[in-house]
Each structure stands twice: as C-alpha cells, then as structure tokens.
Amino acid sequence: MKDLKIILMGFGAVGKGVAQAISIKKDNIVNKFGINIKLVAVADSNSSAISNKGLDEKLLIETKETSGTLSKYPEFGTDVNGLDVLNKVDYDLLVEATPTNIDNGEPAKSLTIHAFKSGKDVVTSNKGHLALYFSEMLDLARENNVEFKYEASVGGAMPIINFAEETLPSSSISSIIGILNGTTNYILSRMTTEGSSYRNTLEESQQLGIAETDPTQDVEGIDAACKTVILANSILKVPATYSDVKVEGISKITSESIELAKKEGYLIKLIAEVSKENLSVSPRLVKKNSPYAIEGTLNMATIKTDLADEVTVVGKGAGSLETASAMLTDIINIIKKKY
Amino acid sequence: MKDLKIILMGFGAVGKGVAQAISIKKDNIVNKFGINIKLVAVADSNSSAISNKGLDEKLLIETKETSGTLSKYPEFGTDVNGLDVLNKVDYDLLVEATPTNIDNGEPAKSLTIHAFKSGKDVVTSNKGHLALYFSEMLDLARENNVEFKYEASVGGAMPIINFAEETLPSSSISSIIGILNGTTNYILSRMTTEGSSYRNTLEESQQLGIAETDPTQDVEGIDAACKTVILANSILKVPATYSDVKVEGISKITSESIELAKKEGYLIKLIAEVSKENLSVSPRLVKKNSPYAIEGTLNMATIKTDLADEVTVVGKGAGSLETASAMLTDIINIIKKKY
C-alpha cells in the first residue's frame, strides 16, 4: 500500500472540513484505491502540527477548537507556518484552503507556486490567485508536470468544473449562467418571502452567520465575479481575469422592485453569466419555477451545450464538509490518474 | 488513426439523433482521441444499410425520412435486420436504440447478449432489458470482459449515472429522488398553470406529440419505474427488478387537488424515490421554488450524499439529439478507457 502524504494549509471552516472528510473516508480510499491518505502537516496562519507518521484528524480539529492554535497539538505542535512548512516537510500533495485574497492572491499564490516548483500536486478551494492569475498558475502547473485542481473554488459542493469536463464530454459548452453566491441568494430569497428591506435582511443574515461582518465581497458581487473568471478560464478556455468582469451587486435592490417582479411571475437573482461574449455578475429577473428559482444559500448553474441543450446543477455553495467533499473529489481524481 | 466500427440498431428518434450527433462530432473525436467513428451498419425493424467503408450519417437520415426504409439507402440498403446484422457485419461497438419493451426486454436483450458473447461493447438507451434483467445483463458484460453503458436510459440528456460515478466519487450516495418522466411533468405543470382537467390536458399533450397515443407507460408511472430500477442497481447497487417498485401514476390527479396544494405553496409532481428502503413512483407534494418545482418536460434528480449533502441535476429528459448526446458521452468514455 502506498502513502499519499498531504500538507493542509489553512485550518478554518474549509480546512477543518477537509480533515473531517479524510477521517470519514480514509478507510474507504484504502479499500478502493490501495492508497493511504496521511496528513503529514496542517497549518493555520501562525502555527502548525507536523509529523511524518501522520496526524490524527479528529485531534487536529479538537486542538484547534479548544485552544485556538495548532501549536498545542500534542507532541507535534509547532510555531512553523507558511512557506516554512512546505520547506520543512516531505509531502506529495498540497491541499490549499487559506482565505481568498482578491488584492494579490496571497498567501495561496506563493504556496501554490512553491509546491509546483517542488513537483507537488495542488488542490485548492481558493479563488483569489485563480481570479487574478489563472493562466499563469495553469501554465506553471503544466511546466512542472503536476496536477492542479480547483473544483471547490466555484460553488462549494455544487459540481461544475469536473462535471463539465467528465460528464458532458460529448457536447461543446457555449455558456454557463448561474447563481454562484449563496449569501446574496439567501438575502434576496428572504426579501422575496418576507417583503423585508435590504438593510434589515442583511443584518439578519449577519446575525445568523450567513453574511460576514464585512459583507462587501458577497453583496457587491466580488465573490461571484471571481468564480465567473474561474469558469471562463477552466470551462470555456477564455483567458479572462478579474477586471474583465462587469460587476453589479445587490445592495441597491429594494423590496419594492422585488414586489413588482413577483407580481409579474418573476424573481430577482444575482446572476453570473459566463460566455465568450459576456462575463458579468448582475441582478436579473428570472422566472418562478425555473431552475434559477432556487432558495436559500444554494448555488446553481445552467450549462448551455450544443447537443444536450441545457443541463443544470444545484448544490450547497458553502459549508465546511460540503466544500471539503469537492476537494476530496479532486484528491481522488488525482489518485485515479497518477497513483 | 484507429477506426471504431459501430452498428446502430434502431433508427427512430433516438437512432437518428445518434447519427446526427456522430455527424456533428466525428471530426472533433478524431482530433481529440485519434479515433475515427464509422457507422458500418444501421438497422431499423425491417431493413438496414451496411457498408464496411462506413455509411454517411446525413444520407441515412434523409433516406429514412423520405422513403421510410433504410433498404433504399443508395448501393448499401438491404432487407437484413435484427440479429442477422450482428452476424453479418464486422464491428467493435453496438449502439442499441430499439424501442423499450417492458414485457420481455426484446429485441434489446437478445441483441445485447449476442454482442456481449461476441466480445463487443454496448451502449444503450433502452430501459426494458435493464428494468427486467439488470444483474444478468451486467454479469454477462463482466464475464465477457466488455463495456456496457446506459446513461441515456435514464433522464435522456440529464446526466445521472456517469454523474454519480465520476463527479461525486468522494461521497456515499444514500438516495436519489427525482422527476424521471417528462410527459407526466408536462401534464402536471399544465394542469397547475391552466387549472385544466387531467383528461383535457392529456389530450392536448397527445396533440402536441408530447404524450403518446397510448399514454399508459408514461401516465401510469411505468416508464419512471423502469428508470427507478436502473438507478437502484447502477448507483445504489441494490439488485432490484421492475416488480420491486411500488408504482402509482397520475391519472387520478384532479385539478381540485392541484389547486388545493397550490394554495398551501405546494405543487403535485410524479416523484421517483430510489433508496435502500424504498423504491417507488407516486404523485407527491413538493414545495414551490424547490429544485423539484421544474416545469415542462424537464427531468431532475436530487442525489443525497454523506459529504456533499444534496446535489441536484436538471436536464432534458427526452429529445432526439439530447438523448443521443448521452449515448455519445458513453461512447467517448469507452474510447477513453479502451482505445
């Protein structure tokens, strides 16, 4: 049996989900592929746990949740972090789950480049470096002959990138139109069912932990625009970057406009459009009882193809274990291909 | 460059779609995989066209549409049909698109068994032999070391079987709940929007060619039950057969019950449930604005998983080219694996 030695960078909601998913599925993966997944290092922003014998997934989560730092992990806790972890540890694959940074893509960018240059495969949930430097990152992966997978960066557990590639190989895809941000979909859904104002609904969402304290990335469409760039590059092979997307958020939507739309059988949704002609994120009218009429924090995407016509996928756009499941799918696809 | 010699049995809507899809995509497949797809024989119920040099897809469709029989195909038209075609022709892969027969699975069953025993791969859109003899067919394919693919048998262009296998490998699937019959969904949708009676809506659907002259297979849930069996076997590995499914159709649904549901925010849909505990097809209440609230002839399926939670796919459940696209996906997956 072969080991697959993984470094996990980032131990927030998604990182913890990855540890949990590995803990649930590792026996399964041993049985199915003869591969033993081993977390040899896990790091958050200022600490880590490192052991070439493999760390205990549940103890990692427990340590982080009780003490707030991985440096308290029994015997193997350290203050090493960032690139130093990659330099210090012998590994096969980097799982990169640090927070998205749309200004310069760091630390994801440096970590990923370092891994590529060391000949390591990378699985990421991060949108920042992809939205800013997609072609550069892909080229570098190719040059170094490593795998680079990013299913979790768009739509969380909603399968879209692997889906387009593997499940629809017979069709050519001309566009993807969808709801790629769960927070704004939650706010718009609540405004529609409750008739409440944008301001009040945002506050309610913040109290529920659905919207962040600074909601800008979600409500101004920035998060959805990053995902638009990733889909344009990965599925349509359009070499776009963040600044190519026309972006309008939902902060100007009033309960009156929602009410007006409702009377005519429509809903207002924050729609991302990805086509050769148009990269945009903006509020649009969609028909009730259409695949776009999803509620709550769900994500959806309708893929327009030449042979299969329109195919739609719907799934949880966020969530710790859900997003981790997409990363584990990427890991399994790398195992299938290379191990 | 290698040839992939295909016999296409069945030249109705789906069969013609396959010819059209091959005609559209053959250059693409040459470029991408270095494989030259060649239709060496195409047969309907009482005639065929046979040429080991390969037939012209457009001329096949034209011949069938103008003369009603493939025996009129220039130079290569014959009266040979059925198993005789398989015996007479040198081929690699059988594309089986004959009509579904839920009484004994013929002629699909005999054609498929003959192909298996000759060491040929098979791609089918047929539900009959699968709903009646799933395990037997799969075992026989395995014994003869051939590929057997049937994505098109469930949901037409809605990806579900390949989707569950390839796009969700990290999760365990516990159930699939969906709308697997487009005709009944069309009838129920129209009854909901128009307030019309079942009888009138069925007649209207028949005039539009959406429901068949004898609508029994659709409206009594038989078609959806066949698909339920196929999903139970293929995705959940439950060795079920047609008689294991509890089936209730839509012919007793009244416009009054639909109106009543509507007032409470619900729709009535013909829902198929596929789980270890329950195999059933029956009318059920679903929430408005849920993924189940699709209109028209669309199909959908919600896959319940352990890690990714619920993932939903929506697509065209029928249509000539759409169904053919699923068969071409199966062909491409066989090319990827074996050629």
Side-chain angles (χ1 to χ4, degrees):
Chain A
M1 195 169 55
K2 222 187 139 180
D3 283 345
L4 174 64
K5 300 187 289 294
I6 291 180
I7 295 182
L8 169 58
M9 299 297 289
F11 207 57
V14 174
K16 281 188 264 183
V18 170
Q20 199 190 341
I22 290 175
S23 146
I24 295 171
K25 293 293 177 183
K26 61 195 291 187
D27 290 348
N28 215 302
I29 290 167
V30 167
N31 293 335
K32 215 161 165 186
F33 305 103
I35 294 288
N36 183 33
I37 292 190
K38 232 188 205 177
L39 280 176
V40 290
V42 177
D44 57 19
S45 54
N46 50 34
S47 69
S48 62
I50 298 175
S51 164
N52 60 13
K53 287 182 216 135
L55 301 156
D56 182 273
E57 296 87 9
K58 282 176 191 149
L59 188 54
L60 283 162
I61 296 169
E62 201 187 300
T63 305
K64 175 78 179 181
E65 283 180 353
T66 53
S67 72
T69 168
L70 289 168
S71 62
K72 293 286 197 304
Y73 186 95
E75 195 178 345
F76 303 113
T78 79
D79 292 327
V80 181
N81 62 64
L83 287 171
D84 291 342
V85 178
L86 304 193
N87 277 318
K88 200 177 144 80
V89 178
D90 173 39
Y91 71 108
D92 304 306
L93 187 148
L94 169 64
V95 173
E96 199 280 307
T98 64
T100 287
N101 169 343
I102 188 63
D103 295 325
N104 60 14
E106 294 296 354
K109 190 184 167 203
S110 298
L111 291 169
T112 303
I113 291 174
H114 190 284
F116 286 169
K117 291 190 171 165
S118 316
K120 313 300 184 186
D121 302 319
V122 177
V123 168
T124 188
S125 59
N126 207 306
K127 292 174 290 287
H129 58 331
L130 291 172
L132 295 169
Y133 311 106
F134 193 96
S135 309
E136 292 89 327
M137 301 307 289
L138 265 278
D139 287 349
L140 206 56
R142 219 170 287 128
E143 277 167 32
N144 288 283
N145 203 18
V146 294
E147 295 291 319
F148 184 36
K149 301 263 183 195
Y150 40 85
E151 175 69 54
S153 67
V154 181
M158 175 187 78
I160 174 84
I161 296 166
N162 294 329
F163 177 72
E165 209 164 288
E166 291 164 20
T167 311
L168 297 169
S170 65
S171 289
S172 301
I173 294 171
S174 55
S175 72
I176 303 146
I177 300 182
I179 296 169
L180 302 180
N181 181 274
T183 304
T184 47
N185 198 56
Y186 179 85
I187 294 173
L188 293 173
S189 301
R190 290 290 292 175
M191 287 174 72
T192 307
T193 48
E194 305 295 312
S196 51
S197 73
Y198 169 73
R199 197 50 52 194
N200 288 347
T201 316
L202 172 60
E203 271 169 29
E204 180 208 83
S205 309
Q206 286 170 318
Q207 280 155 18
L208 289 169
I210 290 171
E212 303 197 37
T213 318
D214 175 1
T216 315
Q217 296 237 345
D218 291 320
V219 300
E220 295 306 342
I222 298 166
D223 173 76
C226 287
K227 293 165 178 168
T228 299
V229 174
I230 297 171
L231 295 182
N233 279 276
S234 59
I235 299 182
L236 298 187
K237 316 294 177 202
V238 174
T241 182
Y242 183 77
S243 55
D244 298 321
V245 189
K246 280 171 289 191
V247 190
E248 190 189 331
I250 65 161
S251 56
K252 287 178 198 130
I253 304 289
T254 61
S255 49
E256 288 74 23
S257 54
I258 288 179
E259 197 51 41
L260 213 63
K262 220 168 140 181
K263 274 190 191 138
E264 303 292 324
Y266 289 90
L267 303 166
I268 297 180
K269 296 286 186 186
L270 186 66
I271 299 290
E273 176 167 344
V274 190
S275 69
K276 287 213 164 67
E277 299 75 35
N278 182 18
L279 299 176
S280 67
V281 172
S282 60
R284 289 206 210 168
L285 295 174
V286 305
K287 273 195 188 161
K288 279 185 196 174
N289 294 335
S290 74
Y292 298 95
I294 53 163
E295 289 197 322
T297 59
L298 287 173
N299 279 202
M300 61 75 61
T302 293
I303 302 168
K304 173 91 187 153
T305 76
D306 56 348
L307 298 189
D309 201 353
E310 293 188 352
V311 175
T312 300
V313 280
V314 186
K316 286 224 171 157
S320 170
L321 195 57
E322 288 85 354
T323 304
S325 82
M327 302 188 86
L328 191 58
T329 290
D330 281 345
I331 294 172
I332 289 174
N333 283 333
I334 292 175
I335 289 175
K336 278 188 185 168
K337 190 167 173 187
K338 288 184 66 162
Y339 286 81
Chain B
M1 194 169 56
K2 223 186 139 180
D3 282 345
L4 174 64
K5 300 186 290 293
I6 291 181
I7 294 182
L8 169 59
M9 299 297 289
F11 207 57
V14 174
K16 281 188 264 184
V18 170
Q20 200 190 342
I22 290 175
S23 146
I24 295 171
K25 293 293 178 183
K26 60 195 292 187
D27 290 348
N28 215 302
I29 290 167
V30 167
N31 293 334
K32 215 161 165 186
F33 305 104
I35 294 288
N36 183 33
I37 292 190
K38 231 188 206 177
L39 280 176
V40 291
V42 177
D44 57 19
S45 55
N46 50 35
S47 69
S48 61
I50 298 175
S51 164
N52 59 13
K53 287 183 216 134
L55 301 156
D56 182 273
E57 296 87 10
K58 281 176 192 152
L59 188 53
L60 284 162
I61 296 169
E62 202 187 299
T63 305
K64 175 78 179 181
E65 282 181 352
T66 52
S67 72
T69 168
L70 289 168
S71 62
K72 293 286 198 305
Y73 186 95
E75 195 177 346
F76 303 113
T78 79
D79 292 328
V80 181
N81 62 64
L83 287 171
D84 291 341
V85 178
L86 303 193
N87 276 318
K88 201 178 143 79
V89 177
D90 173 39
Y91 71 107
D92 304 306
L93 187 148
L94 169 64
V95 173
E96 199 280 307
T98 64
T100 287
N101 169 341
I102 187 64
D103 295 325
N104 60 14
E106 294 296 356
K109 191 184 168 204
S110 298
L111 291 169
T112 304
I113 290 175
H114 190 284
F116 286 169
K117 291 191 172 165
S118 316
K120 314 299 185 186
D121 302 319
V122 177
V123 168
T124 188
S125 59
N126 207 307
K127 292 174 289 287
H129 57 331
L130 291 172
L132 295 168
Y133 311 107
F134 193 96
S135 308
E136 292 89 326
M137 301 306 289
L138 265 277
D139 287 349
L140 206 56
R142 220 171 287 128
E143 277 167 32
N144 288 282
N145 203 18
V146 294
E147 295 291 318
F148 183 36
K149 301 263 182 196
Y150 39 85
E151 175 69 54
S153 67
V154 181
M158 175 188 77
I160 174 85
I161 296 166
N162 294 329
F163 178 73
E165 209 164 287
E166 291 164 20
T167 312
L168 298 170
S170 65
S171 289
S172 302
I173 295 171
S174 55
S175 72
I176 303 145
I177 300 182
I179 296 169
L180 303 180
N181 181 274
T183 304
T184 48
N185 198 56
Y186 179 85
I187 294 173
L188 293 173
S189 300
R190 290 290 293 176
M191 288 174 72
T192 307
T193 49
E194 305 295 311
S196 51
S197 73
Y198 169 73
R199 197 49 52 195
N200 288 346
T201 316
L202 172 60
E203 271 168 29
E204 180 207 84
S205 309
Q206 286 170 319
Q207 279 154 19
L208 289 169
I210 291 171
E212 302 197 37
T213 318
D214 176 0
T216 315
Q217 296 237 345
D218 291 320
V219 300
E220 296 306 342
I222 299 166
D223 173 75
C226 287
K227 293 165 178 168
T228 299
V229 174
I230 297 171
L231 295 181
N233 279 276
S234 59
I235 299 182
L236 298 187
K237 315 294 177 201
V238 174
T241 181
Y242 184 77
S243 55
D244 298 321
V245 188
K246 280 171 290 191
V247 190
E248 189 189 331
I250 65 161
S251 56
K252 287 178 199 131
I253 304 289
T254 61
S255 49
E256 288 74 23
S257 54
I258 287 179
E259 197 51 41
L260 213 63
K262 221 167 139 181
K263 274 189 192 139
E264 304 292 323
Y266 289 90
L267 303 166
I268 297 181
K269 296 286 185 186
L270 185 66
I271 299 290
E273 176 167 343
V274 189
S275 69
K276 287 213 163 67
E277 299 74 35
N278 182 20
L279 299 176
S280 67
V281 172
S282 60
R284 289 207 211 169
L285 295 174
V286 305
K287 273 195 188 160
K288 279 185 195 174
N289 294 335
S290 74
Y292 298 94
I294 53 163
E295 288 198 322
T297 59
L298 287 173
N299 279 203
M300 60 76 61
T302 292
I303 301 168
K304 173 91 187 153
T305 76
D306 56 349
L307 298 189
D309 201 352
E310 293 188 352
V311 175
T312 299
V313 281
V314 186
K316 286 224 170 156
S320 171
L321 195 57
E322 288 85 354
T323 304
S325 81
M327 302 188 86
L328 191 58
T329 290
D330 281 346
I331 294 171
I332 290 174
N333 283 333
I334 292 175
I335 289 174
K336 278 187 185 169
K337 190 167 173 188
K338 288 184 67 162
Y339 286 80

